[in-house]
C-alpha cells in the first residue's frame, strides 16, 4: 500500500538506512526517530532511556518500524556492553511501545526487530515460529525484546516481531566483516562448521519488511530468514566459490573464544536451523532462497 507515513528507529544502521531508502522508493514517507536532539522540522526525537517521544513533531504515523539496539557484534562483550545490549532491547522497546500506545492517534502497526538468537543453540533441531525459545544471554535478550512490545499489542496495534537471521549484503553486517579474509583466501569454517546459520539477503529482508508493514493478518513472531538455512561449512564453501578463492582454513573453537570471548559461543558457534513458516504460509516468495546463487549475485562485480 503506497503512501503510508512510517516512523523508524535505528534508521542510521545497516538495515535502517536501506529500509528508509526502500520504503521511500515504494512511495511511503519515512520519519526518523533519533536519539540525538534533531534540528527542528527534520527528524523526531525519542529517548530510549525514558521512552519519551516528541509527539507534536511526530504527528500521525500509520506504522512504526523499530530496529534500534546496541550492536551485538560490535566488540567483546564487556559487562557494560552486555548491559547496553540488554537495556536497548527489552526495556527500551517496552518504553517505546508505552509511548506509542499513549499517542493521541496510535499507529496501526508495529514491526519490531528480534533475532533468531531467541532460539539459543539448538543443533540440528528444525525450528519455526512455534518452537520454544532457547537459553543463554542472547535468547534472554530477545525474549525480553519481544515481550517489550506488549503495551503496543494491548493498545490494539498489530504487532509483528520480526526474527531476523544473519542479514547478507556486502555493504554491512556480517558479510562485510567476512569479506577481507575470504578475499585473501584466508577464510574457513568456524569450529566444527556443523552449526546451522539462518540467513537472508538484505534485498529479501526489505521485501519482507514491506510485506509485513502492508495491511494484512500477520502478527506475532515472524521469522525473516531464507527457507534454506545452511551449516557454517556449507556457507563457507559457498562464499569461497562466489569469490573464486579457497576457504580451507578452519578457525578452531578455542581461537574464536580467545578472540571474541563469550560472543564466540553465542554468535559464531550457536546453531539455529530456522524455517520461515509464517512468511511461506502467507504466500511470501523469496527472490534468493538458496545460499549459492544468493552469494554469487551479491558478490558479482
Ligand atoms: N544485521 C543482522 O544480521 C541482524 C541479525 C539479527 C538481528 N538484527 C537486529 O536488527 C536490528 C537492526 O540491525 P542492524 O544490523 O541495522 O543494526 P545496526 O547497524 O547496529 O544499527 C542499529 C541502530 O540502532 C541504534 N542504536 C545503536 N545503539 C543503540 C543503543 N544503545 N540504544 C538504542 N539504539 C541504539 C542506532 O541508530 P540511531 O543512532 O539512529 O538511533 C543504530 O544505527 C538490530 O536491533 C539488530 O540486533 C540484525
Amino acid at each position: 500500500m503506497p503512501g503510508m507515513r512510517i516512523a523508524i528507529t535505528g534508521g542510521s544502521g545497516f538495515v535502517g538506512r536501506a529500509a528508509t531508502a526502500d520504503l521511500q522508493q515504494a512511495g511511503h514517507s519515512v520519519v526518523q526517530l533519533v536519539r540525538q536532539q534533531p534540528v527542528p522540522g527534520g527528524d523526531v526525537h525519542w529517548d530510549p532511556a525514558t521512552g519519551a517521544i516528541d509527539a507534536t513533531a511526530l504527528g500521525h504515523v500509520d506504522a512504526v518500524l523499530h530496529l534500534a539496539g546496541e550492536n551485538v557484534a560490535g566488540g567483546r562483550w564487556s559487562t557494560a556492553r552486555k548491559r547496553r545490549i540488554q537495556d536497548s532491547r527489552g526495556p527500551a522497546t517496552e518504553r517505546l511501545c508505552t509511548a506509542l500506545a499513549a499517542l493521541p492517534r496510535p499507529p496501526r502497526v508495529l514491526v519490531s526487530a528480534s533475532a533468531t538468537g531467541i532460539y539459543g543453540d539448538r543443533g540440528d533441531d528444525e525450528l519455526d515460529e512455534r518452537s520454544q525459545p532457547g537459553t543463554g544471554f542472547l535468547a534472554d535478550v530477545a525474549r525480553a525484546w519481544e515481550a517489550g512490545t506488549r503495551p503496543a499489542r494491548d493498545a490494539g496495534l498489530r504487532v509483528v516481531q520480526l526474527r531476523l537471521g544473519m542479514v547478507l549484503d556486502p555493504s554491512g553486517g556480517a558479510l562485510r566483516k567476512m569479506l577481507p579474509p575470504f578475499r585473501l583466501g584466508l577464510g574457513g569454517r568456524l569450529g566444527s562448521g556443523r552449526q546451522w546459520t539462518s540467513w537472508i539477503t538484505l534485498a529479501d529482508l526489505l521485501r519482507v519488511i514491506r510485506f509485513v508493514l502492508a495491511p494484512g493478518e500477520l502478527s506475532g513472531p515472524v521469522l525473516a530468514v531464507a527457507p534454506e538455512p545452511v551449516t557454517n561449512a556449507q556457507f563457507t564453501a559457498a562464499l569461497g566459490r562466489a569469490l573464486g578463492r579457497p576457504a580451507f582454513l578452519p578457525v578452531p573453537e578455542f581461537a574464536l573464544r580467545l578472540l571474541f570471548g563469550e560472543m564466540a559461543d553465542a554468535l559464531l558457534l550457536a546453531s539455529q536451523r530456522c524455517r520461515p513458516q509464517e512468511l511461506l504460509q502467507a504466500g511470501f516468495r523469496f527472490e534468493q532462497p538458496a545460499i549459492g546463487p544468493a552469494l554469487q549475485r551479491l558478490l558479482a562485480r
Side-chain angles (χ1 to χ4, degrees), residues 199-213:
W199 60 276
I200 184 168
T201 63
L202 178 60
D204 267 338
L205 175 60
L206 299 178
R207 296 174 58 246
V208 169
I209 289 173
R210 268 189 271 131
F211 187 79
V212 295
L213 278 171

Side-chain angles (χ1 to χ4, degrees), residues 10-16 35-36 48 67-72 84 88-89 113-115 145 164-167:
S12 66
F14 164 50
V15 175
R35 292 174 296 155
Q36 299 80 17
L67 298 170
E70 176 82 19
N71 194 296
V72 167
R84 287 201 302 274
S88 63
R89 298 277 175 350
S114 175
W145 199 1
L164 276 60
M166 177 169 68
V167 182

Side-chain angles (χ1 to χ4, degrees), residues 121 190-197 230-233 268-272:
D121 181 13
L190 305 177
S192 73
R194 286 200 296 265
Q195 69 276 30
W196 290 86
T197 298
V230 286
T231 64
N232 174 264
L268 305 174
L269 297 169
S271 185
Q272 288 130 10

Side-chain angles (χ1 to χ4, degrees), residues 117-290:
I118 197 164
Y119 298 108
D121 181 13
R122 300 288 275 273
D124 292 332
D125 291 0
E126 295 189 29
L127 305 166
D128 66 20
E129 289 86 351
R130 284 162 307 179
S131 310
Q132 286 301 311
T135 54
F137 174 69
L138 286 183
D140 291 347
V141 166
R143 222 184 345 223
W145 199 1
E146 294 193 358
T149 61
R150 178 88 199 232
R153 216 186 58 196
D154 288 350
L157 278 76
R158 179 170 67 87
V159 174
V160 172
Q161 294 119 349
L162 210 52
R163 293 180 176 166
L164 276 60
M166 177 169 68
V167 182
L168 295 178
D169 194 81
S171 69
L175 187 58
R176 191 168 78 172
K177 289 191 181 151
M178 286 185 251
L179 283 176
F182 273 82
R183 283 204 164 114
L184 292 171
L186 300 174
R189 64 181 154 77
L190 305 177
S192 73
R194 286 200 296 265
Q195 69 276 30
W196 290 86
T197 298
S198 295
W199 60 276
I200 184 168
T201 63
L202 178 60
D204 267 338
L205 175 60
L206 299 178
R207 296 174 58 246
V208 169
I209 289 173
R210 268 189 271 131
F211 187 79
V212 295
L213 278 171
E217 303 293 308
L218 274 179
S219 71
V222 171
L223 276 159
V225 297
E228 297 178 28
V230 286
T231 64
N232 174 264
Q234 290 167 336
F235 180 85
T236 301
L239 183 52
R241 267 196 304 276
L243 292 168
R245 288 282 183 278
F248 302 127
L249 284 175
V251 192
E253 289 184 12
F254 79 86
L256 290 170
R257 292 192 181 112
L258 261 176
L259 273 171
F260 299 108
E262 189 183 345
M263 205 171 90
D265 286 282
L267 214 54
L268 305 174
L269 297 169
S271 185
Q272 288 130 10
R273 183 184 191 179
C274 303
R275 185 180 159 77
Q277 198 61 34
E278 290 286 338
L279 283 176
L280 293 174
Q281 239 159 32
F284 181 84
R285 295 258 174 85
F286 288 83
E287 276 175 4
Q288 298 292 344

Side-chain angles (χ1 to χ4, degrees), residues 9 25 77 85 100 136 189 217 239-240 285 292:
T9 72
Q25 180 88 24
W77 287 356
I85 290 172
L100 292 177
R189 64 181 154 77
E217 303 293 308
L239 183 52
R285 295 258 174 85

